[in-house]
PDB file of all heavy atoms in Angstrom:
ATOM      1  N   ALA P   1      23.970 139.946  68.045  1.00 92.00           N
ATOM      2  CA  ALA P   1      23.219 140.476  69.146  1.00 92.00           C
ATOM      3  C   ALA P   1      23.847 140.030  70.475  1.00 92.00           C
ATOM      4  O   ALA P   1      24.593 139.037  70.493  1.00 92.00           O
ATOM      5  CB  ALA P   1      21.743 139.999  69.119  1.00 92.00           C
ATOM      6  N   PRO P   2      23.650 140.729  71.544  1.00 93.00           N
ATOM      7  CA  PRO P   2      24.226 140.356  72.864  1.00 93.00           C
ATOM      8  C   PRO P   2      23.512 139.163  73.457  1.00 93.00           C
ATOM      9  O   PRO P   2      22.428 138.766  73.051  1.00 93.00           O
ATOM     10  CB  PRO P   2      24.022 141.608  73.693  1.00 93.00           C
ATOM     11  CG  PRO P   2      22.806 142.204  73.113  1.00 93.00           C
ATOM     12  CD  PRO P   2      22.779 141.928  71.648  1.00 93.00           C
ATOM     13  N   GLY P   3      24.129 138.595  74.436  1.00 93.00           N
ATOM     14  CA  GLY P   3      23.499 137.458  75.197  1.00 93.00           C
ATOM     15  C   GLY P   3      24.255 136.119  75.117  1.00 93.00           C
ATOM     16  O   GLY P   3      24.951 135.837  74.125  1.00 93.00           O
ATOM     17  N   ASP P   4      24.156 135.382  76.242  1.00 94.00           N
ATOM     18  CA  ASP P   4      24.816 134.065  76.297  1.00 94.00           C
ATOM     19  C   ASP P   4      24.318 133.101  75.250  1.00 94.00           C
ATOM     20  O   ASP P   4      25.058 132.292  74.730  1.00 94.00           O
ATOM     21  CB  ASP P   4      24.638 133.468  77.662  1.00 94.00           C
ATOM     22  CG  ASP P   4      25.377 134.262  78.778  1.00 94.00           C
ATOM     23  OD1 ASP P   4      26.276 135.030  78.339  1.00 94.00           O
ATOM     24  OD2 ASP P   4      25.039 134.158  79.939  1.00 94.00           O
ATOM     25  N   GLU P   5      22.929 133.188  74.957  1.00 96.00           N
ATOM     26  CA  GLU P   5      22.413 132.233  73.937  1.00 96.00           C
ATOM     27  C   GLU P   5      23.036 132.481  72.617  1.00 96.00           C
ATOM     28  O   GLU P   5      23.373 131.547  71.803  1.00 96.00           O
ATOM     29  CB  GLU P   5      20.845 132.340  73.907  1.00 96.00           C
ATOM     30  CG  GLU P   5      20.176 131.842  75.132  1.00 96.00           C
ATOM     31  CD  GLU P   5      18.680 131.877  75.018  1.00 96.00           C
ATOM     32  OE1 GLU P   5      18.209 132.267  73.864  1.00 96.00           O
ATOM     33  OE2 GLU P   5      18.003 131.568  75.972  1.00 96.00           O
ATOM     34  N   VAL P   6      23.231 133.731  72.225  1.00 96.00           N
ATOM     35  CA  VAL P   6      23.781 134.100  70.988  1.00 96.00           C
ATOM     36  C   VAL P   6      25.244 133.655  70.939  1.00 96.00           C
ATOM     37  O   VAL P   6      25.770 133.191  69.974  1.00 96.00           O
ATOM     38  CB  VAL P   6      23.662 135.640  70.670  1.00 96.00           C
ATOM     39  CG1 VAL P   6      24.416 135.986  69.401  1.00 96.00           C
ATOM     40  CG2 VAL P   6      22.209 136.039  70.626  1.00 96.00           C
ATOM     41  N   THR P   7      25.945 133.832  72.008  1.00 96.00           N
ATOM     42  CA  THR P   7      27.339 133.371  72.152  1.00 96.00           C
ATOM     43  C   THR P   7      27.416 131.911  71.869  1.00 96.00           C
ATOM     44  O   THR P   7      28.361 131.417  71.187  1.00 96.00           O
ATOM     45  CB  THR P   7      27.918 133.747  73.464  1.00 96.00           C
ATOM     46  OG1 THR P   7      27.865 135.158  73.717  1.00 96.00           O
ATOM     47  CG2 THR P   7      29.431 133.287  73.557  1.00 96.00           C
ATOM     48  N   ALA P   8      26.507 131.145  72.440  1.00 96.00           N
ATOM     49  CA  ALA P   8      26.522 129.663  72.182  1.00 96.00           C
ATOM     50  C   ALA P   8      26.231 129.389  70.740  1.00 96.00           C
ATOM     51  O   ALA P   8      26.901 128.446  70.092  1.00 96.00           O
ATOM     52  CB  ALA P   8      25.461 128.995  73.085  1.00 96.00           C
ATOM     53  N   ARG P   9      25.310 130.086  70.103  1.00 96.00           N
ATOM     54  CA  ARG P   9      25.006 129.874  68.635  1.00 96.00           C
ATOM     55  C   ARG P   9      26.206 130.209  67.815  1.00 96.00           C
ATOM     56  O   ARG P   9      26.518 129.559  66.831  1.00 96.00           O
ATOM     57  CB  ARG P   9      23.840 130.696  68.269  1.00 96.00           C
ATOM     58  CG  ARG P   9      22.499 130.148  68.748  1.00 96.00           C
ATOM     59  CD  ARG P   9      21.334 130.623  67.793  1.00 96.00           C
ATOM     60  NE  ARG P   9      21.280 132.125  67.798  1.00 96.00           N
ATOM     61  CZ  ARG P   9      20.595 132.853  68.672  1.00 96.00           C
ATOM     62  NH1 ARG P   9      19.920 132.226  69.642  1.00 96.00           N
ATOM     63  NH2 ARG P   9      20.544 134.169  68.514  1.00 96.00           N
ATOM     64  N   ARG P  10      26.938 131.232  68.193  1.00 96.00           N
ATOM     65  CA  ARG P  10      28.163 131.620  67.439  1.00 96.00           C
ATOM     66  C   ARG P  10      29.216 130.627  67.507  1.00 96.00           C
ATOM     67  O   ARG P  10      29.903 130.355  66.510  1.00 96.00           O
ATOM     68  CB  ARG P  10      28.743 132.981  68.038  1.00 96.00           C
ATOM     69  CG  ARG P  10      27.866 134.191  67.628  1.00 96.00           C
ATOM     70  CD  ARG P  10      28.398 135.409  68.269  1.00 96.00           C
ATOM     71  NE  ARG P  10      29.753 135.771  67.850  1.00 96.00           N
ATOM     72  CZ  ARG P  10      29.978 136.449  66.686  1.00 96.00           C
ATOM     73  NH1 ARG P  10      29.000 136.909  65.927  1.00 96.00           N
ATOM     74  NH2 ARG P  10      31.218 136.709  66.323  1.00 96.00           N
ATOM     75  N   ALA P  11      29.326 129.908  68.589  1.00 96.00           N
ATOM     76  CA  ALA P  11      30.344 128.855  68.772  1.00 96.00           C
ATOM     77  C   ALA P  11      29.966 127.677  67.814  1.00 96.00           C
ATOM     78  O   ALA P  11      30.879 127.058  67.114  1.00 96.00           O
ATOM     79  CB  ALA P  11      30.431 128.351  70.192  1.00 96.00           C
ATOM     80  N   GLU P  12      28.664 127.369  67.754  1.00 95.00           N
ATOM     81  CA  GLU P  12      28.251 126.326  66.843  1.00 95.00           C
ATOM     82  C   GLU P  12      28.428 126.736  65.391  1.00 95.00           C
ATOM     83  O   GLU P  12      28.900 125.927  64.551  1.00 95.00           O
ATOM     84  CB  GLU P  12      26.746 126.015  67.067  1.00 95.00           C
ATOM     85  CG  GLU P  12      26.452 125.432  68.505  1.00 95.00           C
ATOM     86  CD  GLU P  12      24.967 125.302  68.697  1.00 95.00           C
ATOM     87  OE1 GLU P  12      24.215 125.617  67.724  1.00 95.00           O
ATOM     88  OE2 GLU P  12      24.573 124.764  69.778  1.00 95.00           O
ATOM     89  N   PHE P  13      28.189 127.977  65.096  1.00 95.00           N
ATOM     90  CA  PHE P  13      28.339 128.519  63.748  1.00 95.00           C
ATOM     91  C   PHE P  13      29.775 128.517  63.371  1.00 95.00           C
ATOM     92  O   PHE P  13      30.124 128.082  62.287  1.00 95.00           O
ATOM     93  CB  PHE P  13      27.792 129.970  63.713  1.00 95.00           C
ATOM     94  CG  PHE P  13      27.808 130.585  62.325  1.00 95.00           C
ATOM     95  CD1 PHE P  13      26.813 130.234  61.435  1.00 95.00           C
ATOM     96  CD2 PHE P  13      28.858 131.456  61.932  1.00 95.00           C
ATOM     97  CE1 PHE P  13      26.826 130.844  60.166  1.00 95.00           C
ATOM     98  CE2 PHE P  13      28.872 132.053  60.732  1.00 95.00           C
ATOM     99  CZ  PHE P  13      27.809 131.786  59.856  1.00 95.00           C
ATOM    100  N   ALA P  14      30.693 128.918  64.271  1.00 94.00           N
ATOM    101  CA  ALA P  14      32.061 128.915  63.947  1.00 94.00           C
ATOM    102  C   ALA P  14      32.706 127.563  63.579  1.00 94.00           C
ATOM    103  O   ALA P  14      33.547 127.398  62.778  1.00 94.00           O
ATOM    104  CB  ALA P  14      32.886 129.562  65.111  1.00 94.00           C
ATOM    105  N   ALA P  15      32.134 126.572  64.301  1.00 93.00           N
ATOM    106  CA  ALA P  15      32.604 125.194  64.095  1.00 93.00           C
ATOM    107  C   ALA P  15      32.273 124.688  62.710  1.00 93.00           C
ATOM    108  O   ALA P  15      32.931 123.821  62.134  1.00 93.00           O
ATOM    109  CB  ALA P  15      32.033 124.249  65.117  1.00 93.00           C
ATOM    110  N   ARG P  16      31.210 125.272  62.048  1.00 93.00           N
ATOM    111  CA  ARG P  16      30.849 124.861  60.721  1.00 93.00           C
ATOM    112  C   ARG P  16      31.504 125.610  59.612  1.00 93.00           C
ATOM    113  O   ARG P  16      31.307 125.273  58.409  1.00 93.00           O
ATOM    114  CB  ARG P  16      29.308 124.929  60.637  1.00 93.00           C
ATOM    115  CG  ARG P  16      28.542 124.102  61.633  1.00 93.00           C
ATOM    116  CD  ARG P  16      27.147 124.069  61.243  1.00 93.00           C
ATOM    117  NE  ARG P  16      26.914 123.417  59.968  1.00 93.00           N
ATOM    118  CZ  ARG P  16      25.802 123.437  59.245  1.00 93.00           C
ATOM    119  NH1 ARG P  16      24.812 124.161  59.671  1.00 93.00           N
ATOM    120  NH2 ARG P  16      25.754 122.846  58.045  1.00 93.00           N
ATOM    121  N   LEU P  17      32.265 126.655  59.907  1.00 90.00           N
ATOM    122  CA  LEU P  17      32.811 127.509  58.851  1.00 90.00           C
ATOM    123  C   LEU P  17      33.954 126.781  58.136  1.00 90.00           C
ATOM    124  O   LEU P  17      34.431 127.288  57.092  1.00 90.00           O
ATOM    125  CB  LEU P  17      33.410 128.752  59.490  1.00 90.00           C
ATOM    126  CG  LEU P  17      32.330 129.797  59.958  1.00 90.00           C
ATOM    127  CD1 LEU P  17      32.975 131.010  60.542  1.00 90.00           C
ATOM    128  CD2 LEU P  17      31.383 130.088  58.857  1.00 90.00           C
ATOM    129  N   THR P  18      34.375 125.630  58.596  1.00 84.00           N
ATOM    130  CA  THR P  18      35.413 124.880  57.834  1.00 84.00           C
ATOM    131  C   THR P  18      34.740 123.913  56.805  1.00 84.00           C
ATOM    132  O   THR P  18      35.431 123.337  55.969  1.00 84.00           O
ATOM    133  CB  THR P  18      36.261 124.060  58.789  1.00 84.00           C
ATOM    134  OG1 THR P  18      35.385 123.197  59.574  1.00 84.00           O
ATOM    135  CG2 THR P  18      37.057 124.942  59.721  1.00 84.00           C
ATOM    136  N   GLU P  19      33.432 123.825  56.894  1.00 90.00           N
ATOM    137  CA  GLU P  19      32.706 123.011  55.950  1.00 90.00           C
ATOM    138  C   GLU P  19      32.577 123.703  54.636  1.00 90.00           C
ATOM    139  O   GLU P  19      32.055 124.813  54.550  1.00 90.00           O
ATOM    140  CB  GLU P  19      31.339 122.641  56.465  1.00 90.00           C
ATOM    141  CG  GLU P  19      31.321 121.927  57.728  1.00 90.00           C
ATOM    142  CD  GLU P  19      29.940 121.659  58.357  1.00 90.00           C
ATOM    143  OE1 GLU P  19      28.961 121.705  57.492  1.00 90.00           O
ATOM    144  OE2 GLU P  19      29.770 121.423  59.529  1.00 90.00           O
ATOM    145  N   PRO P  20      33.064 123.156  53.485  1.00 91.00           N
ATOM    146  CA  PRO P  20      33.036 123.842  52.209  1.00 91.00           C
ATOM    147  C   PRO P  20      31.641 124.272  51.769  1.00 91.00           C
ATOM    148  O   PRO P  20      31.491 125.357  51.223  1.00 91.00           O
ATOM    149  CB  PRO P  20      33.597 122.786  51.229  1.00 91.00           C
ATOM    150  CG  PRO P  20      34.461 121.872  52.120  1.00 91.00           C
ATOM    151  CD  PRO P  20      33.807 121.850  53.492  1.00 91.00           C
ATOM    152  N   ALA P  21      30.635 123.445  52.050  1.00 94.00           N
ATOM    153  CA  ALA P  21      29.248 123.759  51.672  1.00 94.00           C
ATOM    154  C   ALA P  21      28.778 125.064  52.396  1.00 94.00           C
ATOM    155  O   ALA P  21      28.067 125.845  51.864  1.00 94.00           O
ATOM    156  CB  ALA P  21      28.354 122.591  51.915  1.00 94.00           C
ATOM    157  N   VAL P  22      29.057 125.107  53.648  1.00 94.00           N
ATOM    158  CA  VAL P  22      28.681 126.259  54.493  1.00 94.00           C
ATOM    159  C   VAL P  22      29.334 127.543  53.989  1.00 94.00           C
ATOM    160  O   VAL P  22      28.716 128.585  53.776  1.00 94.00           O
ATOM    161  CB  VAL P  22      28.904 125.996  55.988  1.00 94.00           C
ATOM    162  CG1 VAL P  22      28.658 127.300  56.766  1.00 94.00           C
ATOM    163  CG2 VAL P  22      28.040 124.820  56.483  1.00 94.00           C
ATOM    164  N   LEU P  23      30.672 127.432  53.779  1.00 94.00           N
ATOM    165  CA  LEU P  23      31.396 128.606  53.295  1.00 94.00           C
ATOM    166  C   LEU P  23      30.964 129.015  51.953  1.00 94.00           C
ATOM    167  O   LEU P  23      30.817 130.217  51.657  1.00 94.00           O
ATOM    168  CB  LEU P  23      32.902 128.186  53.200  1.00 94.00           C
ATOM    169  CG  LEU P  23      34.005 129.328  53.207  1.00 94.00           C
ATOM    170  CD1 LEU P  23      33.792 130.210  54.409  1.00 94.00           C
ATOM    171  CD2 LEU P  23      35.357 128.720  53.076  1.00 94.00           C
ATOM    172  N   ALA P  24      30.621 128.094  51.026  1.00 95.00           N
ATOM    173  CA  ALA P  24      30.178 128.417  49.700  1.00 95.00           C
ATOM    174  C   ALA P  24      28.797 129.087  49.794  1.00 95.00           C
ATOM    175  O   ALA P  24      28.556 130.019  49.018  1.00 95.00           O
ATOM    176  CB  ALA P  24      30.084 127.154  48.816  1.00 95.00           C
ATOM    177  N   ARG P  25      27.931 128.634  50.646  1.00 94.00           N
ATOM    178  CA  ARG P  25      26.624 129.281  50.740  1.00 94.00           C
ATOM    179  C   ARG P  25      26.701 130.668  51.289  1.00 94.00           C
ATOM    180  O   ARG P  25      26.061 131.594  50.785  1.00 94.00           O
ATOM    181  CB  ARG P  25      25.761 128.409  51.818  1.00 94.00           C
ATOM    182  CG  ARG P  25      24.274 128.939  51.802  1.00 94.00           C
ATOM    183  CD  ARG P  25      23.430 128.022  52.573  1.00 94.00           C
ATOM    184  NE  ARG P  25      23.749 128.026  53.991  1.00 94.00           N
ATOM    185  CZ  ARG P  25      24.358 126.983  54.599  1.00 94.00           C
ATOM    186  NH1 ARG P  25      24.633 125.903  53.981  1.00 94.00           N
ATOM    187  NH2 ARG P  25      24.601 127.061  55.920  1.00 94.00           N
ATOM    188  N   LEU P  26      27.551 130.891  52.335  1.00 94.00           N
ATOM    189  CA  LEU P  26      27.786 132.241  52.812  1.00 94.00           C
ATOM    190  C   LEU P  26      28.335 133.193  51.721  1.00 94.00           C
ATOM    191  O   LEU P  26      27.897 134.319  51.626  1.00 94.00           O
ATOM    192  CB  LEU P  26      28.623 132.205  54.031  1.00 94.00           C
ATOM    193  CG  LEU P  26      28.019 131.599  55.302  1.00 94.00           C
ATOM    194  CD1 LEU P  26      29.151 131.520  56.411  1.00 94.00           C
ATOM    195  CD2 LEU P  26      26.901 132.396  55.784  1.00 94.00           C
ATOM    196  N   ALA P  27      29.387 132.688  51.045  1.00 94.00           N
ATOM    197  CA  ALA P  27      30.005 133.511  50.020  1.00 94.00           C
ATOM    198  C   ALA P  27      28.956 133.946  48.910  1.00 94.00           C
ATOM    199  O   ALA P  27      28.855 135.076  48.482  1.00 94.00           O
ATOM    200  CB  ALA P  27      31.152 132.771  49.378  1.00 94.00           C
ATOM    201  N   ALA P  28      28.115 132.936  48.518  1.00 94.00           N
ATOM    202  CA  ALA P  28      27.084 133.200  47.472  1.00 94.00           C
ATOM    203  C   ALA P  28      26.066 134.231  47.995  1.00 94.00           C
ATOM    204  O   ALA P  28      25.598 135.084  47.182  1.00 94.00           O
ATOM    205  CB  ALA P  28      26.418 131.942  47.062  1.00 94.00           C
ATOM    206  N   THR P  29      25.691 134.100  49.239  1.00 91.00           N
ATOM    207  CA  THR P  29      24.697 135.039  49.798  1.00 91.00           C
ATOM    208  C   THR P  29      25.245 136.469  49.866  1.00 91.00           C
ATOM    209  O   THR P  29      24.570 137.409  49.504  1.00 91.00           O
ATOM    210  CB  THR P  29      24.318 134.576  51.224  1.00 91.00           C
ATOM    211  OG1 THR P  29      23.734 133.273  51.161  1.00 91.00           O
ATOM    212  CG2 THR P  29      23.308 135.490  51.815  1.00 91.00           C
ATOM    213  N   MET P  30      26.492 136.574  50.349  1.00 91.00           N
ATOM    214  CA  MET P  30      27.034 137.896  50.399  1.00 91.00           C
ATOM    215  C   MET P  30      27.268 138.497  49.001  1.00 91.00           C
ATOM    216  O   MET P  30      27.181 139.667  48.771  1.00 91.00           O
ATOM    217  CB  MET P  30      28.399 137.860  51.131  1.00 91.00           C
ATOM    218  CG  MET P  30      28.166 137.658  52.610  1.00 91.00           C
ATOM    219  SD  MET P  30      29.700 137.714  53.564  1.00 91.00           S
ATOM    220  CE  MET P  30      30.620 136.354  52.992  1.00 91.00           C
ATOM    221  N   ALA P  31      27.615 137.626  48.046  1.00 92.00           N
ATOM    222  CA  ALA P  31      27.793 138.083  46.636  1.00 92.00           C
ATOM    223  C   ALA P  31      26.469 138.459  45.944  1.00 92.00           C
ATOM    224  O   ALA P  31      26.428 139.173  44.901  1.00 92.00           O
ATOM    225  CB  ALA P  31      28.598 137.036  45.813  1.00 92.00           C
ATOM    226  N   GLY P  32      25.367 137.823  46.442  1.00 91.00           N
ATOM    227  CA  GLY P  32      24.056 138.029  45.826  1.00 91.00           C
ATOM    228  C   GLY P  32      23.867 137.030  44.658  1.00 91.00           C
ATOM    229  O   GLY P  32      23.042 137.293  43.773  1.00 91.00           O
ATOM    230  N   SER P  33      24.613 135.988  44.646  1.00 92.00           N
ATOM    231  CA  SER P  33      24.491 135.026  43.570  1.00 92.00           C
ATOM    232  C   SER P  33      23.748 133.794  43.934  1.00 92.00           C
ATOM    233  O   SER P  33      23.617 132.827  43.124  1.00 92.00           O
ATOM    234  CB  SER P  33      25.878 134.662  43.078  1.00 92.00           C
ATOM    235  OG  SER P  33      26.692 134.007  44.129  1.00 92.00           O
ATOM    236  N   ASP P  34      23.084 133.772  45.123  1.00 92.00           N
ATOM    237  CA  ASP P  34      22.411 132.544  45.505  1.00 92.00           C
ATOM    238  C   ASP P  34      21.026 132.473  45.060  1.00 92.00           C
ATOM    239  O   ASP P  34      20.406 131.337  45.052  1.00 92.00           O
ATOM    240  CB  ASP P  34      22.464 132.498  47.091  1.00 92.00           C
ATOM    241  CG  ASP P  34      21.764 133.680  47.795  1.00 92.00           C
ATOM    242  OD1 ASP P  34      21.850 134.807  47.132  1.00 92.00           O
ATOM    243  OD2 ASP P  34      21.275 133.586  48.870  1.00 92.00           O
ATOM    244  N   VAL P  35      20.400 133.601  44.667  1.00 92.00           N
ATOM    245  CA  VAL P  35      19.088 133.572  44.170  1.00 92.00           C
ATOM    246  C   VAL P  35      19.137 133.960  42.635  1.00 92.00           C
ATOM    247  O   VAL P  35      19.314 135.052  42.292  1.00 92.00           O
ATOM    248  CB  VAL P  35      18.161 134.571  44.912  1.00 92.00           C
ATOM    249  CG1 VAL P  35      16.780 134.574  44.352  1.00 92.00           C
ATOM    250  CG2 VAL P  35      18.184 134.245  46.378  1.00 92.00           C
ATOM    251  N   PRO P  36      18.890 133.027  41.724  1.00 96.00           N
ATOM    252  CA  PRO P  36      18.949 133.343  40.307  1.00 96.00           C
ATOM    253  C   PRO P  36      17.713 134.033  39.820  1.00 96.00           C
ATOM    254  O   PRO P  36      16.633 133.924  40.524  1.00 96.00           O
ATOM    255  CB  PRO P  36      19.102 131.905  39.658  1.00 96.00           C
ATOM    256  CG  PRO P  36      18.386 130.979  40.570  1.00 96.00           C
ATOM    257  CD  PRO P  36      18.601 131.612  41.995  1.00 96.00           C
ATOM    258  N   TYR P  37      17.773 134.713  38.685  1.00 97.00           N
ATOM    259  CA  TYR P  37      16.594 135.316  38.130  1.00 97.00           C
ATOM    260  C   TYR P  37      15.661 134.261  37.525  1.00 97.00           C
ATOM    261  O   TYR P  37      14.388 134.514  37.459  1.00 97.00           O
ATOM    262  CB  TYR P  37      16.931 136.280  37.036  1.00 97.00           C
ATOM    263  CG  TYR P  37      17.557 137.618  37.531  1.00 97.00           C
ATOM    264  CD1 TYR P  37      18.274 138.384  36.624  1.00 97.00           C
ATOM    265  CD2 TYR P  37      17.356 138.076  38.819  1.00 97.00           C
ATOM    266  CE1 TYR P  37      18.851 139.617  37.013  1.00 97.00           C
ATOM    267  CE2 TYR P  37      17.911 139.201  39.146  1.00 97.00           C
ATOM    268  CZ  TYR P  37      18.641 140.046  38.311  1.00 97.00           C
ATOM    269  OH  TYR P  37      19.217 141.194  38.708  1.00 97.00           O
ATOM    270  N   GLN P  38      16.187 133.115  37.208  1.00 94.00           N
ATOM    271  CA  GLN P  38      15.364 132.007  36.689  1.00 94.00           C
ATOM    272  C   GLN P  38      16.116 130.742  36.875  1.00 94.00           C
ATOM    273  O   GLN P  38      17.352 130.777  37.013  1.00 94.00           O
ATOM    274  CB  GLN P  38      14.981 132.208  35.177  1.00 94.00           C
ATOM    275  CG  GLN P  38      16.205 132.071  34.274  1.00 94.00           C
ATOM    276  CD  GLN P  38      15.886 132.319  32.848  1.00 94.00           C
ATOM    277  OE1 GLN P  38      16.114 133.416  32.326  1.00 94.00           O
ATOM    278  NE2 GLN P  38      15.469 131.278  32.159  1.00 94.00           N
ATOM    279  N   ASP P  39      15.377 129.633  36.971  1.00 91.00           N
ATOM    280  CA  ASP P  39      15.983 128.328  37.149  1.00 91.00           C
ATOM    281  C   ASP P  39      15.835 127.546  35.889  1.00 91.00           C
ATOM    282  O   ASP P  39      14.764 127.467  35.347  1.00 91.00           O
ATOM    283  CB  ASP P  39      15.329 127.584  38.349  1.00 91.00           C
ATOM    284  CG  ASP P  39      15.794 128.124  39.653  1.00 91.00           C
ATOM    285  OD1 ASP P  39      17.081 128.189  39.881  1.00 91.00           O
ATOM    286  OD2 ASP P  39      14.963 128.351  40.553  1.00 91.00           O
ATOM    287  N   ASP P  40      16.942 126.867  35.410  1.00 92.00           N
ATOM    288  CA  ASP P  40      16.952 125.941  34.386  1.00 92.00           C
ATOM    289  C   ASP P  40      17.778 124.791  34.810  1.00 92.00           C
ATOM    290  O   ASP P  40      18.984 124.850  34.889  1.00 92.00           O
ATOM    291  CB  ASP P  40      17.498 126.585  33.126  1.00 92.00           C
ATOM    292  CG  ASP P  40      17.254 125.696  31.842  1.00 92.00           C
ATOM    293  OD1 ASP P  40      17.322 124.475  31.980  1.00 92.00           O
ATOM    294  OD2 ASP P  40      17.035 126.220  30.777  1.00 92.00           O
TER     295      ASP P  40
END
């Protein structure tokens, strides 16, 4: 979305993209593998 506040959030978000846990969570979300049909 437009706006300076969003731009600031994007800068914070970009700084975290080098963190393996953040990258893994985004990849799983886009793949649709982050929500299992059941938990064991």
Side-chain angles (χ1 to χ4, degrees):
D4 293 340
E5 291 184 4
V6 175
T7 300
R9 286 202 302 271
R10 287 177 63 85
E12 296 174 0
F13 184 81
R16 300 192 62 196
L17 291 180
T18 56
E19 300 176 20
V22 173
L23 198 58
R25 185 174 68 251
L26 289 173
T29 300
M30 290 187 292
S33 60
D34 59 330
V35 179
Y37 286 161
Q38 66 183 98
D39 282 311
D40 190 326

